[in-house]
Structure formats: structure tokens, C-alpha cells
Amino acid sequence: MMKHKSTKHLVNGATVIVCAGFEDRVLGALSQFEKLSVVLDRVILIRFGGNENRTNIDEIRKLSSRISNFGAPIEFSREEVEASDFSFLNHVGHEGKLLFDVTGSSRSLMIRLLSTLHDSDLSFDILYTEAAEYYPEKEQFEKQIGEVDVDTAEGLTTAYHRLSRYEQSRILHSSHCEIEEFDDLRGLIRPNYPLFLITFLTFKRGRLSAILSALEANAKLLIRGVPVRKDLKWRVDAIKVPNADLISDRELIDLETLNWEVTYDYLVSQYELDSNRFRYNFIVAPLGSKMQTVACWKFAKERPEVSLITSTPVEHYFDRYSNGSGETFYFPGF
């Protein structure tokens, strides 16, 4: 069952950890709290460097001053947070709930924060805000690829080549990404065991390309995210286009993007199927939605023999991310 619900009666007096990324939706949860007249205890703000993030940092400061007992947020840079071994958690209030808003966090920081909260024996709930629009937008994408049937090999190839003419080559084809590992999620790599890789399709195909290039997996499963919103269903077929040369005839596993439990249950089922856990070294590379990444983290955290890695582009293209802010979801019980 989907675990998201109205938050008003649950979060008064809570501490909220929020990461100030550059997307509009970073402000979604705090703005919703203000509309609901929620009074937080305090806001812990983790800042990212770069001019692109300054607007949201300033807005979070203003929101915090209006909706929290502490007024101004307790601030740390991302570098301070990671260098201090997450001692910033000393600033978490002892009363009320602890909420981690994953919306504005990078994937790597989110995974580290999840582990730190877990290892500190802190119970926490997760907040996540959808975007109003995701890149690429439907009208733009369909104009680029034209009228083709991407369910056929010929049509998919045609769409891929047409997209290649419109999209900058360094964005579409580059696999210039850093592979990131996590000290607590290195897993158990047994000598001479075959490798089982589970990873995700993404419109930022360089991330997937980097993972596939770095690992010689004997068995691979590619998960394709299925949005729950009707206006985003077109993306299920569209995501095949930038990844056409990576997926070939490989079967795609369709899992919804919002309910983390769907992805978690699937990972468990594949791990246990045919005694796979005893036959393979398992690596999971979360490249899908934020809540699918939460599922991958929980799956690996509960199984010390499973490795979790991710890939992060060396260069970001800020005009190729989401716009606007959508609904905010609340996921309790972590």
C-alpha cells in the first residue's frame, strides 16, 4: 500500500532536513507547510555551492523564518556536512518528528544521509515533491523525433538518430560520469562469482552508459520507471529513444516511480529467485526516481552482501532538469 498521506496533523514541531538544490520543487514541502499553518521546530538547510542554487537558499531562509520556532534555518554547506562525518545531526531536535526532504538532494548525498540517519538510530520520515514538468517536455520531444513507432526496431533506431541531430552530442552520448561507491554499502564481492547488475533507464543516458561500461555483468536487469501521473505516461516509451543502443533486445522491467515499496519488493524477489543470492555478486545502481533510489538504499542496507553504486555527471546542464513544483508526498516509517 502506498504510504503517503496528509501531513498537517503529523509534522507540527518537527525538524526538517532540506537540501537546497536548484530545481523549483525544492521549495514544495516548506511552502505546503506554510499553507497548512504547520509550525516546525527547526529547519536544517544543506546548501549546495553555485550561483544556480542561491535563489532557493534565500527562499528557504525566508520560509524557515515564517514557519519554524527557531526562525532562521540551521545551515551547513554540503562540504561541511560530509567533512564533519554528519555531526550536524547534533542539531536535530529531541522532540517531534524528524523529516528528510529528499527532493533537492543529489543522489549520492541522499544515500549517505539515509545511511547516517539509519546508523544513528534516528527514526525519520521522508518527504518528496514531484515537479510540475520534467525534462524533456512532451511537445519538444515529439517534435524532435517526429512520428515514428518506437515499439519497432526500425522506428526506435530512426527516433534515436533524429534525437541525436537535435540534442548536443556531449549530452546525449557522453558517459563522462563519476562512479560513486559508499563505504557502508560496498557489499561482498566474492572472487570468481558472476556479477548480477540491476540498474535503471534514465533520460540522462550518460549515467547508464557509465555504469554499463564500468561493469562486466553476467546478468543484467534494466528497470524502466512508470510515472503514476497520466500526463507523464508518454515517457514510458520515450525513455527508450535516448537509450536505444544500450537496451538492444534486452527486456525492460516496468516499475512505478513513486511507490518505493514496489521497487523494493521487486529487488527482493530477484535476489531470492533461483537462489540468486548464493550464485552471484549483487550490485544495484539506482539511476531512477528519488523514491526508487530510496528503495535501492533500503534493499542494500538490509543486505550487507549487496553492493550499491551510482554515477554522477561531471558536468551538469541546468536547463535540462525539471520545472515547477507539484504535489508533496509523505512517506513514514524509516
Side-chain angles (χ1 to χ4, degrees), residues 53-73:
N53 300 305
R54 289 184 177 178
T55 298
N56 280 342
I57 291 172
D58 290 341
E59 289 301 317
I60 291 171
R61 288 168 177 162
K62 295 175 185 177
L63 281 165
S64 178
S65 68
R66 296 196 296 266
I67 66 174
S68 75
N69 292 327
F70 265 54

Side-chain angles (χ1 to χ4, degrees), residues 61-109:
R61 288 168 177 162
K62 295 175 185 177
L63 281 165
S64 178
S65 68
R66 296 196 296 266
I67 66 174
S68 75
N69 292 327
F70 265 54
I74 303 168
E75 297 190 29
F76 300 88
S77 69
R78 172 182 178 167
E79 292 75 18
E80 288 174 324
V81 167
E82 295 185 328
S84 65
D85 195 26
F86 298 94
S87 59
F88 79 99
L89 291 177
N90 295 332
H91 295 271
V92 171
H94 298 292
E95 303 295 331
K97 286 185 171 292
L98 174 60
L99 310 175
F100 177 23
D101 186 351
V102 303
T103 308
S105 178
S106 66
R107 186 174 281 103
S108 60
L109 180 61

